[in-house]
Amino acid sequence: MTSIVFAEGAKETSQRKNSDRKTISVLLRSSESGEPYRVWQPLFDEFAEKHNLKVEYELIPNDADYANKLQLYISSNQLPDFYGCANGTFSKAALSSGQLVNVGQELKDMGKFDMLNKAVVDFLTDSDDGNMYLLPQGLYCEFFFYRKDIFEQYGLEIPKTWSDFTKVCEVLKEKNITPVVVGGKDNWQLMRYLSFIPWRVTHDGFIYDYIEGSDSFMQNAYAHAGVELLHDMGTKGYFQIGFTSTNYSDSVNLFFGGTGAMYYAGTGMISNASEMFADGKLGIFPVPDMQGVENISTNVPIHAGFGFGFNAETYDDTMKEFLSFAMDNFSKACYDAGIFSPLKDEVPEGLDPLFYEIKSLFDDAKQSWVSWDDKLDSATLTSMGDEQQELALGMISPKQFESDMDNVIEANR
């Protein structure tokens, strides 16, 4: 039995004894067509039917509204049995108020922890105590799409290093082909180019040290290389004309509409890329290495999407049994929803061929992606978004960008 309440619906949550549980309450940052609901709803509904329980869903699609409601529930000690929660400020608040189960320990006790992809575990591991408190939404990875037909026409090879990458860009530009399409109006797209090299060499080392004040753009050679890369990509014409006015949706339409030779995206673009891939026009490659130094072994940014936690105050034998049930059926739920499972299970037969091509990129991944936009405080993030656009447009120099951002983080620390 299922009931759905949208956004403003009332919810009653109180500590229950296992014997009198009649319902399971679920809060998701999702609509009925969203991935979180499409993954978790079949699992909860099947489990509830077997145990004669009612599932009460509260769905909030809007990010800001969800954050406000989650904060309200945490503060008032009214979190539902199961809820979506990003790994960071909210998970720490839920943990400190005693409303978050150490789900990693639960999975270890069940003998199911090793079912998870290691990079996903890394992404969800708490930076303070090394525990894992959240389940993943799925496995998401990012990579470059490239036009095989264009590369073959000009005798280009897949770039292994960033030096190779910019050389390929230069050749394409000389042939009057847009080397790279980017949605530069959205902060995260340009920020990827800032953070690629520091991530490949230091993983999360630079960004955490930068935030804490023990490192800076001016001092760190790999952060400096990232700044130079973004400056070159923008000022040398390697991005499309008007890239800072192009949002992500428009950039998707541009590339899969036939503009440009390379595009950084990820598993969310499988349906967009399917036809060109089937026609042999499209290939994929991972994030290049920083040349001349040791890089981390993982070269495909992997994350787990939004996390999901169990309320420790209402976590009883029934919810423990649901966790075990969910782990046993999670891969099917993910692939039915059209996303990769975070478990090590094989990709089922009959999916788009790109699923099998992409899977080979992350089978052995151990380290997760580190999103600077998730780590930086909002004031610093806003400043970096403005500064990176000016950097890519050549309005400020790499040195000026580094000085400005080192001053900004100091002022906001």
Side-chain angles (χ1 to χ4, degrees):
M1 184 180 297
T2 299
S3 67
I4 299 177
V5 177
F6 287 92
E8 299 303 323
K11 176 190 68 64
E12 294 181 0
T13 300
S14 60
Q15 190 163 0
R16 302 175 176 90
K17 295 179 181 179
N18 194 43
S19 58
D20 61 7
R21 175 182 286 277
K22 303 296 183 187
T23 65
I24 297 175
S25 55
V26 177
L27 172 66
L28 299 176
R29 189 188 68 172
S30 180
S31 64
E32 286 187 80
S33 61
E35 285 181 2
Y37 184 73
R38 288 188 289 119
V39 169
W40 287 106
Q41 181 262 343
L43 294 170
F44 275 112
D45 283 7
E46 182 178 346
F47 181 83
E49 184 175 357
K50 290 179 178 178
H51 293 77
N52 196 29
L53 295 167
K54 177 182 178 182
V55 186
E56 297 176 339
Y57 295 101
E58 185 173 7
L59 306 181
I60 305 177
N62 181 274
D63 289 355
D65 291 344
Y66 188 88
N68 290 334
K69 182 57 72 75
L70 186 61
Q71 182 60 61
L72 175 65
Y73 284 162
I74 292 172
S75 301
S76 59
N77 227 31
Q78 289 289 307
L79 280 168
D81 298 311
F82 183 84
Y83 55 96
C85 184
N87 186 22
T89 303
F90 285 116
S91 63
K92 292 183 188 305
L95 180 63
S96 66
S97 63
Q99 299 179 86
L100 191 58
V101 169
N102 183 344
V103 74
Q105 187 59 53
E106 289 292 294
L107 293 177
K108 289 175 183 176
D109 293 343
M110 294 175 185
K112 297 183 177 183
F113 186 78
D114 291 338
M115 294 168 66
L116 289 163
N117 176 281
K118 290 182 179 178
V120 167
V121 171
D122 185 46
F123 183 82
L124 293 171
T125 296
D126 187 276
S127 58
D128 291 337
D129 62 18
N131 291 321
M132 192 181 92
Y133 296 98
L134 301 169
L135 289 176
Q137 177 171 307
L139 185 150
Y140 303 86
C141 70
E142 299 175 3
F143 44 83
F144 282 92
F145 286 104
Y146 75 102
R147 287 285 301 274
K148 277 186 173 181
D149 51 342
I150 295 175
F151 270 54
E152 289 171 3
Q153 182 178 354
Y154 297 111
L156 298 172
E157 295 184 356
I158 294 174
K160 304 296 185 186
T161 68
W162 283 107
S163 178
D164 296 339
F165 188 91
T166 53
K167 288 175 183 174
V168 167
C169 289
E170 187 58 32
V171 172
L172 291 165
K173 184 172 180 293
E174 289 173 355
K175 303 298 181 184
N176 293 319
I177 295 172
T178 299
V180 178
V181 172
V182 66
K185 189 175 181 179
D186 293 340
N187 279 345
W188 72 272
Q189 284 263 290
L190 293 183
M191 200 166 289
R192 289 293 194 265
Y193 288 87
L194 269 182
S195 53
F196 279 142
I197 292 175
W199 174 70
R200 290 291 287 116
V201 181
T202 76
H203 188 222
D204 58 6
F206 169 71
I207 193 61
Y208 280 129
D209 289 346
Y210 172 69
I211 292 169
E212 293 171 359
S214 58
D215 207 346
S216 68
F217 276 98
M218 297 286 280
Q219 294 174 322
N220 190 292
Y222 308 118
H224 174 73
V227 173
E228 291 280 359
L229 174 65
L230 179 57
H231 182 258
D232 286 351
M233 293 298 297
T235 59
K236 293 185 177 180
Y238 298 159
F239 292 143
Q240 81 275 11
I241 295 172
F243 65 91
T244 56
S245 300
T246 307
N247 63 31
Y248 183 57
S249 296
D250 290 339
S251 71
V252 171
N253 294 332
L254 274 178
F255 182 74
F256 294 108
T259 297
M262 292 183 283
Y263 183 60
Y264 183 75
T267 48
M269 292 294 107
I270 288 178
S271 61
N272 303 71
S274 179
E275 184 175 344
M276 292 175 72
F277 182 75
D279 290 341
K281 295 181 179 178
L282 212 58
I284 59 175
F285 64 85
V287 174
D289 288 352
M290 174 64 182
Q291 56 277 0
V293 297
E294 184 176 356
N295 290 246
I296 63 172
S297 60
T298 300
N299 57 7
V300 178
I302 293 174
H303 62 89
F306 213 53
F308 299 91
F310 288 85
N311 187 346
E313 294 188 344
T314 65
Y315 187 72
D316 53 21
D317 287 344
T318 299
M319 295 308 295
K320 184 188 292 279
E321 186 178 346
F322 172 74
L323 173 58
S324 179
F325 169 82
M327 290 297 290
D328 291 341
N329 296 278
F330 200 55
S331 287
K332 182 180 185 307
C334 286
Y335 287 115
D336 285 349
I339 62 175
F340 277 102
S341 168
L343 307 185
K344 296 177 181 175
D345 298 334
E346 292 296 319
V347 177
E349 296 180 357
L351 298 182
D352 190 293
L354 259 173
F355 271 94
Y356 310 100
E357 182 84 0
I358 294 169
K359 179 75 159 46
S360 65
L361 293 178
F362 64 74
D363 270 341
D364 298 323
K366 296 180 177 61
Q367 293 111 340
S368 68
W369 171 243
V370 182
S371 295
W372 289 10
D373 40 342
D374 289 341
K375 306 303 178 189
L376 295 168
D377 66 89
S378 60
T380 302
L381 183 62
T382 299
S383 295
M384 191 173 288
D386 295 338
E387 290 266 334
Q388 69 182 7
Q389 284 209 348
E390 294 181 1
L391 173 71
L393 290 169
M395 296 169 63
I396 59 174
S397 67
K399 185 176 181 180
Q400 184 64 54
F401 174 89
E402 293 168 1
S403 175
D404 290 349
M405 290 315 306
D406 287 348
N407 289 331
V408 166
I409 194 71
E410 179 66 26
N412 293 329
R413 193 172 290 129

